[in-house]
Amino acid sequence: MSPTADRPAPSAAVPQDRLYDGLILGVHLATLDGEGYGEIADGALGWRDGLLAYVGPRSALPGAPEALAAQVIESEGWITPGLVDCHTHLVFAGDRAREFELRLQGASYEQIARAGGGIVSTVRATREADEDALLRQSLPRARTLVNDGATTLEIKSGYGLDYANERKMLRVARQVGQTLGIQVRTTYLGAHALPPEYAGRSDEYIDAVCEWLPRLHGEGLVDAVDAFCEGIGFSPAQTRRVFEAARALDLPVKLHADQLSDLGGAALAAEFSGLSADHVEYTSEDSVRAMAAHGTVAVLLPGAFHVLRETRLPPLDAFRAHGVAMAVATDCNPGTSPLQSLRQAMQLACTHFRLTPLEALRGASEHAARALGHRDRGVLKPGARADFVRWTIGHPSELCYWLGGALAGDVYAGGRRVGGAG
């Protein structure tokens, strides 16, 4: 997507002789442009028409601040790029808190599923909710993510599992972005699980998934296509059929890959020049090489790793050795990762996967943007979208240090304040 694709209309209140709509002074900038944090002390950040226009030291501004911008803000703390949550399932109805309690009391996933729980219960609740109810339940989760620093969200379908309800989920995802003033990238995940009405007929269900895709894309509801390639999901051959349907429409693909076993999912995603392979705990080094060759991002999902108490780590050293970018996301969903803070996902990535705070921050901004196909955000530099967060911290490493807390003072998307505690 080009840097101007989502540009807001120019503000009529700003005289044309002003360089900037707004200008923030006195903060430390973590630009992530170049090596390390890209720190600029006593920095200045100016934006116009939804894009960053000045990123640098206050002392190098091309004039007196009051003459440069209609809105001049003296502040403190740190500013980073806006965070990008590149893997969520946050549009759903109901919850599975009771199942969480039952698992802690010794019930197995199979026992819960046989009793009507598991993903089937979320599908049932999502199908029963109308569009307005689904939006009401989903908006608070999205708003919480925004208030904690997220300025771009990916939202998947996959709890409808029929045409009407997949469409409903994608429509609600679009409404979330419009309501909150942020960009939402929608991902069609019809191949998430086999619905009860297709029991024993998984190939027929994949036929249906591929048939629904052009219709949903024709309504402008699909930005990318995903699938769950796993023994309890869909086979590589079935996933390939979904990807071929996406390629026929020139839609990018991403994949739930190698979470529970190595079926070569990450390599399959790379073969289709996929934006990302997600989870990737069991990904082989051959698949890592394929990802590197095709620029496929590895999306780490430490929330699910944490909740499921997994022990198999993703091949982090191989990703580093082969130059595969590592993104970090919440995987916000009702069953395996009820996580509503991308900053907490960063902390978990440091704790469980031993990422450095710098790797985690880049993973939740620059690399997460790449995992959605964006090249216009995730760093602070002129021409990028004016998506940024002012944090009440003394150093960026604190974003991965504190467990909880309201650290995002102000959250800006496209040059407009959309959230934060300030």
Side-chain angles (χ1 to χ4, degrees):
M1 182 169 291
S2 69
T4 59
D6 302 298
R7 177 183 292 185
S11 171
V14 179
Q16 291 302 303
D17 60 347
R18 306 278 184 142
L19 287 179
Y20 315 126
D21 293 341
L23 185 62
I24 296 180
L25 305 173
V27 291
H28 286 253
L29 304 178
T31 67
L32 304 185
D33 189 19
E35 296 298 319
Y37 289 106
E39 177 181 352
I40 299 174
D42 193 19
L45 193 74
W47 63 93
R48 176 136 192 170
D49 295 348
L51 302 180
L52 294 176
Y54 181 86
V55 181
R58 183 209 299 249
S59 60
L61 281 167
E66 293 74 15
L68 295 173
Q71 181 187 27
V72 178
I73 303 168
E74 283 279 354
S75 193
E76 57 185 12
W78 283 78
I79 286 180
T80 72
L83 304 184
V84 177
D85 199 345
C86 63
H87 183 129
T88 86
H89 304 253
L90 68 80
V91 169
F92 59 86
D95 65 65
R96 291 178 14 215
R98 178 58 180 154
E99 293 177 23
F100 174 71
E101 186 174 31
L102 290 173
R103 284 202 307 272
L104 293 176
Q105 294 170 351
S108 69
Y109 185 86
E110 183 178 358
Q111 289 171 326
I112 291 170
R114 285 179 177 174
I119 191 173
V120 173
S121 66
T122 299
V123 171
R124 182 168 55 248
T126 301
R127 287 179 172 183
E128 290 173 354
D130 65 22
E131 204 165 295
D132 288 342
L134 193 57
L135 179 63
R136 283 196 305 272
Q137 292 188 52
S138 303
L139 263 178
R141 293 186 284 269
R143 186 173 285 115
T144 298
L145 286 166
V146 170
N147 283 332
D148 201 41
T151 54
T152 301
L153 301 178
E154 185 255 20
I155 300 178
K156 303 178 190 294
S157 66
Y159 292 125
L161 305 185
D162 62 26
Y163 174 75
N165 286 291
E166 289 289 295
R167 178 177 180 269
K168 177 177 68 178
M169 290 186 68
L170 293 166
R171 284 173 53 86
V172 168
R174 287 281 191 241
Q175 292 176 62
V176 167
Q178 294 162 5
T179 303
L180 297 182
I182 61 168
Q183 187 175 54
V184 166
R185 295 284 283 181
T186 54
T187 297
Y188 173 55
L189 183 56
H192 188 199
L194 190 66
E197 61 269 25
Y198 277 88
R201 298 184 294 131
S202 60
D203 282 330
E204 291 180 40
Y205 179 65
I206 291 297
D207 289 340
V209 168
C210 294
E211 190 272 327
W212 301 333
L213 176 56
R215 297 159 62 188
L216 296 169
H217 179 52
E219 289 191 50
L221 294 175
V222 180
D223 295 321
V225 175
D226 196 351
F228 183 35
C229 184
E230 193 55 74
I232 61 171
F234 297 95
S235 71
Q238 291 168 330
T239 301
R240 180 180 293 276
R241 290 173 55 200
V242 175
F243 281 5
E244 287 171 347
R247 184 160 60 185
L249 297 170
D250 199 27
L251 281 168
V253 300
K254 49 209 292 112
L255 186 63
H256 286 64
D258 309 334
Q259 180 185 8
L260 305 173
S261 62
D262 183 11
L263 296 183
L268 178 60
E271 179 187 336
F272 282 80
S273 298
L275 294 174
S276 68
D278 303 30
H279 288 290
V280 294
E281 281 91 336
Y282 284 81
T283 296
S284 69
E285 187 154 0
D286 285 345
S287 292
V288 173
R289 291 191 186 96
M291 293 171 67
H294 292 274
T296 299
V297 176
V299 177
L300 307 179
L301 301 171
F305 185 93
H306 177 79
V307 170
L308 295 174
R309 293 184 285 183
E310 296 286 356
T311 58
R312 174 72 175 243
L313 294 173
L316 303 164
D317 289 341
F319 290 144
R320 293 184 181 107
H322 293 286
V324 173
M326 294 183 288
V328 177
T330 62
D331 192 16
C332 176
N333 75 72
T336 62
S337 188
L339 179 56
Q340 299 183 65
S341 166
L342 184 49
R343 190 169 57 78
Q344 184 65 64
M346 293 161 59
Q347 200 283 332
L348 291 172
C350 292
T351 300
H352 289 307
F353 299 159
R354 301 297 175 89
L355 265 62
T356 67
L358 175 58
E359 285 178 319
L361 178 56
R362 285 189 181 274
S365 54
E366 177 187 10
H367 300 325
R370 282 185 54 192
L372 295 181
H374 288 306
R375 301 285 179 167
D376 64 340
R377 67 200 71 188
V379 297
L380 300 178
K381 62 182 180 180
R385 268 180 59 95
D387 292 358
F388 58 90
V389 184
R390 183 188 65 82
W391 304 95
T392 56
I393 56 176
H395 189 268
S397 61
E398 290 187 47
L399 299 178
C400 298
Y401 166 71
W402 293 107
L403 292 166
L407 302 186
D410 298 288
V411 181
Y412 282 76
R416 296 189 173 96
R417 189 180 186 280
V418 294

